[in-house]
Amino acid sequence: MTNSVLKKIHYYTLTYHLKKLNKMQIKAIYFLGCSKACVQPGSMDKVNSSVVSEFVLLGLCSSQDLQLFFFVFFSVLYVVIVLGNLLIIMTVTSDNSLHSPMYFLLGNLSFVDICQASFATPKMIADFLSEHKTISFSGCIAQIFFIHLFTGGEMVLLVSMAYDRYVAICKPLHYVVIMSRRTCSFLVMVSWAVGLVHTLSQLSFTVNLPFCGPNVVDSFFCDLPRVTKLACLDSYTVEILIVVNSGILSLSTFSLLVVSYIIILVTVWFKSSAAMAKAFSTLAAHITVVILFFGPCIFIYVWPFTTYPVDKLLAIFYTIFTPILNPIIYTLRNRDMKAAMRKIMTYYLRPKKISEMPLVVRNSLY
């Protein structure tokens, strides 16, 4: 037999046997290869035996035309998110009439929204113009850290805002005492603390996983359920821990929000029908934001055993669309906030009279 015939026989024999291997057996082969490649004498004390130095992100789509459209679309959205939330923060801090618990929490929510939209969106936008969409191993771990830090913190912060509305409507006479500056600061610190504990616990499950072969993530950022499936061992236990961790946080905060809204509506319903209609119109918008934020999180992280192509589209809701909806829902529907924004924009944008200009500027005009 010639060498070419022998090579063909060897190739078809190898292909035949590989087709009989299931996913777990292939991962075991990768793991054994990894162990031989990266476990050297005296190196057993290393924390991570991963040989994967980078991950490949498939992004939202592969079409060049759609990627150009997405580049423009998401660039505009990101600029609107940053400018809109910065405007809210500047308005809340500069206008004395807005120095109240509700607007203090709103300003903190805007800051979290900017952070949440910035952990992966700039890279996603840059990847639309790049042929090779890769991210380093440390960059991938950093994305997992920040997404769980900001989403976990925002969940608790939304509950704090719902509690503020509950006290204002159900216990108006005690509102100033209950929602003091100290209480508001405590609620904000608790939200960051919960987010930090949540993300550190998630990282403790994944940072030591061995990544020895597969490194393709079918998303626009390092999504935890998809990354854990690339590990060179059975990820069933890790997925259970993810379900318990994310499930307790997301379902408990979502339940608290629903209960608080129900109590508010029941309380207002006994007062008057007009107040009920006003409260329902306000809470309906808030509930819409809550569903758009919690729905994808619960769908992706409470059932991570099976990944679907729609998961990366759902991830856009809590990484991009929610940060842009919060300013619209919590600001543009608020009279005091709109009046304060109008005042600030009028002050900074209207042409100043000569008498209002600084003395140095006035002298330079003559």
Side-chain angles (χ1 to χ4, degrees), residues 1-70:
M1 290 187 184
T2 62
N3 289 334
S4 60
V5 175
L6 288 173
K7 287 181 179 178
K8 286 184 178 180
I9 294 173
H10 177 70
Y11 170 76
Y12 287 118
T13 304
L14 181 62
T15 304
Y16 172 77
H17 288 293
L18 284 175
K19 286 181 179 179
K20 288 191 172 185
L21 295 177
N22 57 30
K23 184 178 179 181
M24 290 306 306
Q25 290 172 324
I26 293 174
K27 282 191 173 184
I29 292 173
Y30 272 121
F31 180 69
L32 291 173
C34 170
S35 301
K36 293 179 181 179
C38 61
V39 178
Q40 301 294 335
S43 64
M44 294 300 292
D45 56 341
K46 291 185 179 180
V47 176
N48 197 329
S49 62
S50 173
V51 297
V52 172
S53 60
E54 64 179 15
F55 290 95
V56 178
L57 303 176
L58 296 184
L60 292 179
C61 67
S62 58
S63 172
Q64 292 295 331
D65 296 333
L66 281 178
Q67 290 197 40
L68 183 60
F69 168 75
F70 284 150

Side-chain angles (χ1 to χ4, degrees), residues 57 78 114-127 135 143 146-147 150 220-222 319-320:
L57 303 176
Y78 182 67
I114 293 175
C115 296
Q116 187 172 314
S118 300
F119 87 96
T121 306
K123 175 165 178 53
M124 179 188 71
I125 294 172
D127 284 344
I135 184 171
Q143 282 194 345
F146 286 118
I147 181 60
F150 299 138
F220 61 92
F221 71 101
C222 285
T319 56
I320 299 177

Side-chain angles (χ1 to χ4, degrees), residues 90-156:
M90 186 175 66
T91 305
V92 169
T93 54
S94 60
D95 196 307
N96 292 328
S97 63
L98 300 180
H99 290 175
S100 64
M102 181 179 72
Y103 296 109
F104 175 76
L105 296 174
L106 178 60
N108 282 274
L109 178 66
S110 295
F111 177 74
V112 174
D113 282 337
I114 293 175
C115 296
Q116 187 172 314
S118 300
F119 87 96
T121 306
K123 175 165 178 53
M124 179 188 71
I125 294 172
D127 284 344
F128 285 133
L129 302 179
S130 176
E131 185 176 351
H132 302 287
K133 304 174 179 61
T134 59
I135 184 171
S136 64
F137 181 85
S138 58
C140 183
I141 296 298
Q143 282 194 345
I144 294 174
F145 173 84
F146 286 118
I147 181 60
H148 289 279
L149 172 66
F150 299 138
T151 53
E154 180 160 344
M155 287 178 183
V156 180

Side-chain angles (χ1 to χ4, degrees), residues 182-224:
R182 183 178 179 180
T183 303
C184 294
S185 301
F186 174 75
L187 291 174
V188 171
M189 286 190 294
V190 167
S191 67
W192 283 104
V194 171
L196 183 62
V197 171
H198 171 63
T199 191
L200 289 178
S201 59
Q202 295 285 52
L203 282 182
S204 67
F205 304 148
T206 56
V207 72
N208 292 325
L209 289 175
F211 296 96
C212 312
N215 67 336
V216 179
V217 181
D218 187 14
S219 184
F220 61 92
F221 71 101
C222 285
D223 202 5
L224 182 58

